[in-house]
């Protein structure tokens, strides 16, 4: 069995979410106000989540491939994930506490919820403030994925844009984004584990 790989990004996400929670409490706000609460219509949340998952998994790669080819970007660099192929323990650790925990829950809370709201407030009362807020969090989301290489940054930026659009269209509900994010990571990690994805 290959040695387990330390993932400092996951620790950073947990620390950032804890800090964001403290900042929210100081302003007498809550995660529920940012969309992390029980959906009023569970079926609708699931439908939005699956629809977003389909867009991220099927449509977005088709749209991004010509860009990565034109810019001559290499495939995503996946070395930091460790050798998942043939290592079930590493796979399940990455899938559950990291893929569904710090990534699906943590990153959606942090980027689509907290940072999106703060950046939108930063741009004031302008009707374009939500657009700039969504764009800003997508840029930050892309940059924190530098370890995946330029293709990974572009993919994460595009995912951030799609997620911001869904967040706004679905009445600022984080649950569909959490569902979609977790499903995308599940497919990606499983493909790597089964030897179906190329390590760039």
């Amino acid at each position: 069995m290959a040695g387990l790989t330390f993932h400092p990004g996951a620790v950073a996400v947990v620390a950032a979410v804890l800090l964001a929670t403290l900042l929210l409490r100081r302003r007498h706000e809550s995660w529920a106000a940012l969309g992390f609460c029980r959906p009023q219509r569970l079926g609708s949340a699931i439908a939005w989540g699956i629809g977003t998952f389909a867009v991220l998994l099927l449509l977005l790669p088709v749209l991004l491939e010509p860009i990565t080819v034109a810019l001559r970007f290499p495939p995503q660099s996946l070395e930091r994930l460790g050798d998942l192929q043939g290592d079930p323990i590493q796979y399940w650790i990455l899938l559950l506490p990291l893929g569904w925990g710090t990534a699906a829950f943590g990153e959606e809370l942090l980027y689509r919820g907290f940072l999106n709201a703060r950046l939108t407030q930063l741009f004031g009362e302008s009707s374009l403030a939500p657009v700039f807020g969504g764009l800003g969090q997508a840029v930050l989301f892309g940059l924190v994925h530098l370890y995946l290489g330029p293709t990974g940054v572009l993919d994460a930026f595009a995912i951030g844009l799609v997620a911001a659009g869904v967040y706004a269209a679905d009445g600022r509900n984080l649950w569909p984004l959490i569902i979609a994010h977790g499903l995308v990571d599940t497919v990606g990690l499983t493909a790597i584990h089964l030897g179906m994805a190329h390590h760039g």
Side-chain angles (χ1 to χ4, degrees), residues 40-61:
Q40 293 183 351
R41 298 187 302 275
L42 181 60
S44 176
I46 293 173
W48 272 99
I50 294 175
T52 305
F53 164 67
V55 169
L56 296 179
L57 189 70
L58 302 177
L59 180 59
L60 206 57

Side-chain angles (χ1 to χ4, degrees), residues 55-122:
V55 169
L56 296 179
L57 189 70
L58 302 177
L59 180 59
L60 206 57
V62 174
L63 297 176
L64 294 179
E65 184 176 5
I67 299 175
T68 58
V69 171
L71 296 176
R72 298 183 179 180
F73 283 172
Q76 290 192 36
S77 178
L78 303 176
E79 285 79 6
R80 187 163 153 183
L81 296 179
D83 186 10
L84 291 181
Q85 192 170 353
D87 189 343
I89 294 179
Q90 174 111 316
Y91 166 72
W92 284 110
I93 288 176
L94 279 174
L95 179 61
L96 297 179
L98 297 183
W100 278 94
T102 58
F105 279 87
E107 290 180 352
E108 295 307 321
L109 284 172
L110 186 61
Y111 289 92
R112 260 59 75 184
F114 184 80
L115 288 175
N116 190 21
R118 289 295 174 266
L119 290 172
T120 299
Q121 292 172 358
L122 183 65

Side-chain angles (χ1 to χ4, degrees), residues 2-191:
L4 296 178
T5 304
F6 176 65
H7 298 276
V11 177
V13 169
V14 172
V17 170
L18 290 175
L19 176 59
T21 302
L22 292 176
L23 293 175
L24 286 171
R25 288 183 176 178
R26 287 184 61 183
R27 296 170 62 111
H28 304 289
E29 298 176 354
S30 68
W31 287 110
L34 298 179
F36 187 55
C37 55
R38 182 177 179 178
Q40 293 183 351
R41 298 187 302 275
L42 181 60
S44 176
I46 293 173
W48 272 99
I50 294 175
T52 305
F53 164 67
V55 169
L56 296 179
L57 189 70
L58 302 177
L59 180 59
L60 206 57
V62 174
L63 297 176
L64 294 179
E65 184 176 5
I67 299 175
T68 58
V69 171
L71 296 176
R72 298 183 179 180
F73 283 172
Q76 290 192 36
S77 178
L78 303 176
E79 285 79 6
R80 187 163 153 183
L81 296 179
D83 186 10
L84 291 181
Q85 192 170 353
D87 189 343
I89 294 179
Q90 174 111 316
Y91 166 72
W92 284 110
I93 288 176
L94 279 174
L95 179 61
L96 297 179
L98 297 183
W100 278 94
T102 58
F105 279 87
E107 290 180 352
E108 295 307 321
L109 284 172
L110 186 61
Y111 289 92
R112 260 59 75 184
F114 184 80
L115 288 175
N116 190 21
R118 289 295 174 266
L119 290 172
T120 299
Q121 292 172 358
L122 183 65
F123 289 106
E125 301 298 326
S126 167
S127 59
L128 291 178
V131 175
F132 291 132
L135 180 61
Q137 63 81 28
V139 170
L140 294 174
F141 189 60
L143 291 176
V144 299
H145 288 82
L146 277 169
Y147 66 92
L148 294 174
T151 298
V153 172
L154 177 62
D155 288 350
F157 170 72
I159 288 171
L161 285 182
V162 172
V166 172
Y167 181 64
D170 189 36
R172 300 173 73 248
N173 183 1
L174 287 173
W175 277 106
L177 304 178
I178 293 170
I179 293 170
H181 196 148
L183 290 175
V184 167
D185 284 357
T186 297
V187 171
L189 291 172
T190 302

